[in-house]
Amino acid sequence: MPASQPRSRARDRNNVLNRAEFLSLNQPLKGNQESRSSSRKQSGQAGAAGAQNSSPKERRQSQQLPEEDCMQLNPSFKGIAFNSLLAIDICMSKRLGVCANRASSWGGARSMINLLGITGHGIPWIAGTLICLVKSSTLAGQEVLMNLLLALLLDIMIVAGLQKLAKRKGPYDINPGLLDYLTMDTYAFPAGHASRVAMLSKFFLNHLVLAIPLRILLVLWALCVGFSRVMIGRHHITDVLSGFVFGYLQFRLVELIWMSSNTCQMLISIW
């Protein structure tokens, strides 16, 4: 035993971890532990005192996180479907914008596509209707032309109001032209050209006697004008499709409020 004690003391002396600089690794200092425990107690007491002093309403507000800070881990199926369709619409519209600028794949045909779009603009149609109305000498022709003028004016006002509400930008950053500013067609949803050509084609098919080839050409013209707006990058596909729907609804509205021949004659006499 006496011999083993000096050996153990010598072993302890030779152990590196028993040096003063390494004591904190084996055995934390009491002062540090006491300071940590005292700081925890003080913070706990301060938190308890603050919780006691705060009113129940403030406690409830502190527990409730703002709505924008909450992560929606389980979005609704409708939200997922809507966002997916919106992403597909934007992607396809950008792909079909082949005439959006001169550097595009069909940039050389941009002037021709713009010219096709002018055939569906509101200003030329209103001007042409007014000229035909002045030169018309039959009561039936004046009745049809007056209701056509009403339909064109309603189309401009309805589309401008819907665009101001939606304020949706097009797939490409393209500034509207002068004619677009005159008809307040500055946003993308719904497409004003698409609604106008849909309304005009349905109006002519109902109130004009046309041969079958002309009827087919009229429908093809409306489709080409509508989708030319996607090709030049002014509208999304859904903007054009919704424009077709609104154009048909505008035609139904004009049919409901159709002005009779006497009403048209009275308005013409006032004018």
Side-chain angles (χ1 to χ4, degrees), residues 84-156:
S84 301
L85 291 175
L86 190 63
I88 293 171
D89 176 38
I90 294 172
C91 179
M92 292 299 296
S93 301
K94 284 185 174 291
R95 285 178 177 271
L96 291 175
V98 292
C99 301
N101 47 56
R102 293 292 180 184
S104 301
S105 55
W106 289 17
R110 181 176 170 80
S111 300
M112 185 177 65
I113 300 299
N114 278 327
L115 184 61
L116 179 62
I118 291 175
T119 62
H121 206 281
I123 297 297
W125 276 101
I126 291 175
T129 304
L130 288 173
I131 292 172
C132 292
L133 187 60
V134 170
K135 293 186 175 182
S136 179
S137 58
T138 61
L139 295 178
Q142 290 175 354
E143 180 183 351
V144 171
L145 288 169
M146 281 296 295
N147 284 281
L148 177 59
L149 182 61
L150 173 65
L152 289 169
L153 294 175
L154 280 175
D155 172 74
I156 289 176

Side-chain angles (χ1 to χ4, degrees), residues 68-88:
E68 59 267 17
D69 292 341
C70 299
M71 183 182 293
Q72 295 181 358
L73 298 178
N74 296 317
S76 63
F77 176 76
K78 290 182 180 179
I80 295 173
F82 177 77
N83 290 331
S84 301
L85 291 175
L86 190 63
I88 293 171

Side-chain angles (χ1 to χ4, degrees), residues 16-253:
V16 179
L17 295 177
N18 287 331
R19 294 180 184 175
E21 58 268 26
F22 295 108
L23 282 177
S24 60
L25 297 176
N26 295 330
Q27 196 173 7
L29 295 176
K30 292 181 180 180
N32 290 340
Q33 286 182 339
E34 290 175 357
S35 62
R36 286 175 190 166
S37 61
S38 63
S39 63
R40 284 175 191 163
K41 287 178 183 178
Q42 288 175 359
S43 61
Q45 289 173 358
Q52 288 175 359
N53 294 332
S54 62
S55 62
K57 186 177 179 181
E58 291 177 353
R59 280 184 225 146
R60 267 187 249 112
Q61 288 178 352
S62 64
Q63 290 174 359
Q64 292 176 355
L65 290 172
E67 189 174 343
E68 59 267 17
D69 292 341
C70 299
M71 183 182 293
Q72 295 181 358
L73 298 178
N74 296 317
S76 63
F77 176 76
K78 290 182 180 179
I80 295 173
F82 177 77
N83 290 331
S84 301
L85 291 175
L86 190 63
I88 293 171
D89 176 38
I90 294 172
C91 179
M92 292 299 296
S93 301
K94 284 185 174 291
R95 285 178 177 271
L96 291 175
V98 292
C99 301
N101 47 56
R102 293 292 180 184
S104 301
S105 55
W106 289 17
R110 181 176 170 80
S111 300
M112 185 177 65
I113 300 299
N114 278 327
L115 184 61
L116 179 62
I118 291 175
T119 62
H121 206 281
I123 297 297
W125 276 101
I126 291 175
T129 304
L130 288 173
I131 292 172
C132 292
L133 187 60
V134 170
K135 293 186 175 182
S136 179
S137 58
T138 61
L139 295 178
Q142 290 175 354
E143 180 183 351
V144 171
L145 288 169
M146 281 296 295
N147 284 281
L148 177 59
L149 182 61
L150 173 65
L152 289 169
L153 294 175
L154 280 175
D155 172 74
I156 289 176
M157 289 187 292
I158 291 172
V159 170
L162 291 172
Q163 286 187 357
K164 289 293 183 182
L165 288 174
K167 291 186 178 180
R168 188 187 189 190
K169 298 291 184 67
Y172 291 90
D173 190 13
I174 297 175
N175 295 324
L178 177 61
L179 294 177
D180 295 327
Y181 280 111
L182 290 175
T183 55
M184 295 173 287
D185 186 11
T186 54
Y187 290 100
F189 180 88
H193 287 66
S195 68
R196 194 169 301 114
V197 295
M199 182 269 296
L200 287 171
S201 60
K202 186 63 179 171
F203 188 93
F204 291 149
L205 289 174
N206 269 44
H207 297 286
L208 295 180
V209 179
L210 299 173
I212 293 178
L214 290 177
R215 287 175 170 267
I216 294 173
L217 286 175
L218 190 61
V219 174
L220 289 176
W221 166 75
L223 292 173
C224 290
V225 170
F227 284 101
S228 70
R229 307 300 289 171
V230 180
M231 294 176 67
I232 64 170
R234 280 280 283 119
H235 297 280
H236 299 88
I237 297 173
T238 51
D239 300 333
V240 173
L241 294 178
S242 61
F244 288 150
V245 173
F246 282 117
Y248 176 77
L249 294 177
Q250 288 165 10
F251 165 76
R252 300 301 302 173
L253 177 62

